[in-house]
Amino acid sequence: MAVTDDAILRVKEMIVSGELKPGDRLPREADLAGRLGLSRNSLREAVKALSLVRVLDVRQGDGTYVSSLRADDLLGALSFVLDLHRGEDSVLEVLQVRRILEPAAAAMAAQRVGPDEVAALRALCDAAESARSVEELVEHDLEFHRAVAQGSGNAYLAQLLDTLAGPTVRVRIWRGITQGGAVDRTVAEHRAIVDALAAHQPELARSWSTVHVAGVEQWLSDLT
């Protein structure tokens, strides 16, 4: 494993330094192994590992390429890891991370959001208010948070938050079923976030977003 880790590090350094760029094809296996002072077997294992986390793209019969390195590709591995940890403790930790990141995204969005984006967010609030089931409400909730994160203008932050949203879906559904007033509170807090965004008040948007995520986190914490 140590030899494979070293091989991964060597290939990573080539990408970080810019020697290999997104879309570039790696040199032939024998040439690259000789150049890096690695065995072909250790290089092959490194390529397998980097392809699993979507840093490299192995194309049968064509060669190995550096992937696009886009956030939505690279964070796929994180989504896989989160799917393996669905216990209450793990979900609570995910909510804690969301409480740190989502308010920052909302504050960033408040500085750049436009009228069309505000209108779309208000429409999502209206749709959530008229939702006919908790599951439908949660779908609107996910879309709302996704839109706010995208409004931050930071693709990595938006994709990370979208990935983190998945493990908390069941918690949100359970809260909507069991906690009185959860639906009305969710919609009211969404509207408060939109009002702060529309007024271009970053700190107010940050505060309302913190309150919103912390409410779900506190509910789950009380259960455990």
Side-chain angles (χ1 to χ4, degrees):
M1 287 302 298
V3 176
T4 300
D5 289 344
D6 183 54
I8 291 172
L9 183 60
R10 299 286 188 85
V11 175
K12 174 189 169 185
E13 287 172 348
M14 293 179 70
I15 297 172
V16 171
S17 70
E19 186 176 353
L20 286 173
K21 298 180 178 61
D24 282 355
R25 181 176 178 175
L26 268 63
R28 290 175 55 250
E29 183 182 271
D31 295 340
L32 184 57
R35 179 178 163 188
L36 297 178
L38 302 168
S39 70
R40 293 179 66 174
N41 186 59
S42 63
L43 177 60
R44 195 173 298 125
E45 291 301 317
V47 167
K48 285 181 182 177
L50 289 170
S51 67
L52 285 174
V53 294
R54 304 182 183 179
V55 171
L56 297 179
D57 178 17
V58 180
R59 304 175 189 174
Q60 198 66 33
D62 186 22
T64 300
Y65 293 78
V66 180
S67 75
S68 67
L69 301 181
R70 295 185 324 193
D72 53 347
D73 289 333
L74 298 180
L75 288 172
L78 175 60
S79 178
F80 179 78
V81 171
L82 290 173
D83 283 341
L84 299 177
H85 299 275
R86 293 285 184 146
E88 288 180 351
D89 290 342
S90 297
V91 173
L92 186 59
E93 289 185 358
V94 169
L95 284 167
Q96 290 167 349
V97 175
R98 284 186 55 206
R99 177 166 48 82
I100 295 169
L101 296 180
E102 288 205 26
M108 292 168 67
Q111 299 176 62
R112 62 189 305 278
V113 70
D116 291 344
E117 292 165 302
V118 170
L121 287 168
R122 292 199 190 281
L124 284 171
C125 291
D126 292 340
E129 199 164 38
S130 59
R132 289 168 292 185
S133 66
V134 173
E135 289 81 4
E136 187 179 344
L137 172 71
V138 170
E139 283 301 315
H140 292 310
D141 181 63
L142 288 170
E143 188 59 35
F144 179 87
H145 286 275
R146 185 177 296 119
V148 172
Q150 290 172 346
S152 72
N154 187 311
Y156 287 88
L157 179 58
Q159 184 60 42
L160 178 56
L161 285 171
D162 197 39
T163 302
L164 292 172
T168 65
V169 168
R170 285 187 297 178
V171 168
R172 287 186 243 185
I173 291 175
W174 185 243
R175 183 195 185 206
I177 294 171
T178 61
Q179 188 179 47
V183 174
D184 291 340
R185 188 178 304 115
T186 294
V187 174
E189 289 169 357
H190 280 190
R191 292 195 185 281
I193 292 170
V194 178
D195 287 343
L197 294 177
H200 300 291
Q201 296 188 32
E203 293 311 310
L204 187 57
R206 187 194 305 274
S207 297
W208 273 115
S209 182
T210 301
V211 167
H212 183 54
V213 179
V216 183
E217 180 190 339
Q218 185 61 54
W219 175 80
L220 180 60
S221 181
D222 290 343
L223 287 182
T224 58

